[in-house]
Amino acid sequence: MRNKLEILNVPPQAKEFEEAVLGAVMLEREAYHEISSLINENSFYDERHKKIFKAIKSLFMASSPIDIITVVGQLRRLGDLEAVGGAFYVTELTSRVASSANIAYHAGIIMQKYLERETIRIVTETSKNIFKGDQDIFMLQDQMINSIQKLTETSAGQISELSDIVKDRLLHYETKSENGLTGIPSGFHSIDLITSGWQNSNLVILAGRPGMGKTAFMLNLCRNAAVIGNQPTVIFSLEMSKEQLTDRMLSAETGIPLDKILNRNLQPWEFYKFHHSRELIESTIFIDDTASLSIQSFRSKCARLKRNHNIGLIVVDYLQLMKGESEYKNNREQEISSISRSLKAVAKDLNVPVIALSQLSRKVEERAGAHKRPMLSDLRESGSIEQDADQVIFLFRPEYYGIMEDAEGNSMVGITEVNFAKNRNGAIDTAILSFNGAKMKFSEIQGIPGEITNETNEEKIF
């Protein structure tokens, strides 16, 4: 037999439980504590009950008494008294319960019905959009799944007891990877000393002026995460095609200069090296080279990759080429701010590190000599990038600007400084790497231990 509500096409509801909860709170003010974390005014189906609960909530937040008289008075001040049926209906609610003994159970039923209604709404909206036929079906599916997941997470609550959190953290500290890192390895010892690996939920901004080797460095990091860290990795490339990125990765992997690969000027033994690049071939790296990728599409694709492949690292090349929310299309700074916030949200929601490449402003070029080293203020178009990021890393090649020696007379040819300008949970330091531009390859420099200073950026962050 079909459910009566289904026959009448009425959304799931529990009117009698809504009445019981409202009446119980007006009888015993302290009962509000038991339900405040479970439901809010939107949890109620009856519009009258939404207004009454809103009035009760406002009284509680003002530390005022909660009873028939005060609720009626608050409804009158809010202009909602007549809409709920007047003082008579409010008084009638208290006559339907004897006490607040079962109020938590009743609130749970109200929340269950609310979740059922919201699930129906989400599925119905998805169905309407599918019938329109003007949107990508995979994006619609991901939006629906994400909405339902968020709905469930919200209803589950976010309150945890400290003792449980401490136990979880102690277990986390005791459980380290074989290489002693707590995050995904970069493949460079001097960098891992600073980061302990790329940490879950962190947003890492990798920035530098053109010619610094950002994309090559990013590809080295992705290769190392997938091969050394055994982490499925995805690259969202908004500037280069998947073929161009693959050529650069093959050059770095085989040691064959990129120009030889592009010119197809290869010897038989070089073809042999290609076909035996086992580590790269067997790694799990995805490349999405969609141009003008929207932030909504990005979030949907990442969620799908997390579900289907348990993706461990997300990389974006680069941030300024993404399309933000349409409401900010006429304000570039706000659009970039919304993109950086979304990148951080993806890192947190999926619990994976996100590395986003970023442009720097031309102010760098206007400074003289060694002062061309980037600063946080050089991040292009938005200060919110610095605010949202857990780490900001600048690449700087002194040789590019004609600086061939340092102050001690050491050669700077082929040297790349990896400067951590912001490191929310670690030290401000610099790792020194060697860069072979012809082969798109970064390497450690022998004899540089990568010691970490005690300086932190705590004062800069807070």
Side-chain angles (χ1 to χ4, degrees), residues 332-352:
R332 183 58 177 164
E333 185 171 336
Q334 288 186 2
E335 183 179 20
I336 294 296
S337 297
S338 73
I339 291 170
S340 66
R341 286 195 301 271
S342 295
L343 292 176
K344 175 58 181 176
V346 168
K348 187 175 180 181
D349 291 345
L350 300 185
N351 196 33
V352 299

Side-chain angles (χ1 to χ4, degrees), residues 103-293:
I103 192 170
Y105 173 78
H106 295 161
I109 298 295
I110 293 172
M111 173 54 70
Q112 178 181 327
K113 297 302 178 184
Y114 166 73
L115 293 177
E116 291 174 359
R117 293 195 301 273
E118 284 297 289
T119 301
I120 291 172
R121 179 187 63 78
I122 292 168
V123 173
T124 302
E125 287 183 359
T126 303
S127 299
K128 289 180 180 178
N129 289 328
I130 291 173
F131 276 114
K132 290 179 182 177
D134 58 354
Q135 296 186 50
D136 179 70
I137 181 61
F138 296 109
M139 183 183 298
L140 290 174
Q141 287 176 340
D142 286 331
Q143 288 175 348
M144 180 181 71
I145 292 170
N146 290 339
S147 297
I148 292 175
Q149 286 178 338
K150 288 181 180 178
L151 183 65
T152 305
E153 290 168 1
T154 301
S155 66
Q158 300 296 323
I159 298 176
S160 301
E161 190 172 347
L162 179 60
S163 60
D164 293 331
I165 301 173
V166 170
K167 292 175 185 176
D168 288 341
R169 296 310 292 165
L170 289 175
L171 180 61
H172 172 76
Y173 298 144
E174 292 172 359
T175 307
K176 292 188 176 183
S177 60
E178 293 180 2
N179 53 20
L181 302 179
T182 58
I184 298 173
S186 70
F188 303 104
H189 181 63
S190 55
I191 292 178
D192 289 339
L193 280 174
I194 301 172
T195 63
S196 293
W198 308 119
Q199 302 296 316
N200 288 340
S201 80
N202 274 8
L203 172 60
V204 181
I205 298 297
L206 176 62
R209 288 292 295 160
M212 294 298 108
K214 296 189 298 297
T215 299
F217 185 57
M218 173 272 291
L219 292 174
N220 281 212
L221 296 178
C222 291
R223 182 267 180 197
N224 294 338
V227 173
I228 300 174
N230 197 31
Q231 292 291 327
T233 299
V234 59
I235 304 169
F236 290 91
S237 177
L238 288 83
E239 186 172 40
M240 289 186 172
S241 69
K242 57 182 178 290
E243 292 82 8
Q244 290 174 314
L245 292 183
T246 302
D247 289 342
R248 282 158 173 74
M249 295 186 79
L250 285 170
S251 177
E253 189 72 13
T254 63
I256 301 172
L258 180 62
D259 61 345
K260 292 194 70 176
I261 294 175
L262 298 179
N263 295 330
R264 304 181 189 179
N265 183 25
L266 300 173
Q267 300 300 316
W269 63 270
E270 291 172 322
F271 275 111
Y272 179 84
K273 292 185 72 173
F274 272 149
H275 290 292
H276 288 79
S277 303
R278 303 308 307 174
E279 290 182 327
L280 190 60
I281 293 171
E282 294 173 359
S283 65
T284 305
I285 299 177
F286 301 92
I287 300 177
D288 183 312
D289 58 359
T290 304
S292 300
L293 181 69

Side-chain angles (χ1 to χ4, degrees), residues 367-374 396 401 403 417:
R367 300 196 292 265
H371 296 292
K372 291 185 182 295
R373 284 184 175 84
F396 179 69
Y401 294 107
I403 304 172
E417 298 178 3

Side-chain angles (χ1 to χ4, degrees), residues 209-210 359-367 372 377-381 401:
R209 288 292 295 160
Q359 290 182 332
L360 293 178
S361 69
R362 289 189 175 88
K363 291 186 296 182
V364 175
E365 309 299 330
E366 298 171 3
R367 300 196 292 265
K372 291 185 182 295
S377 59
D378 294 325
L379 286 170
R380 186 173 174 180
E381 293 177 307
Y401 294 107

Side-chain angles (χ1 to χ4, degrees), residues 413-430:
V413 177
I415 295 297
T416 297
E417 298 178 3
V418 184
N419 298 317
F420 284 75
K422 177 181 179 180
N423 193 9
R424 196 185 298 276
N425 296 311
I428 297 299
D429 203 356
T430 298

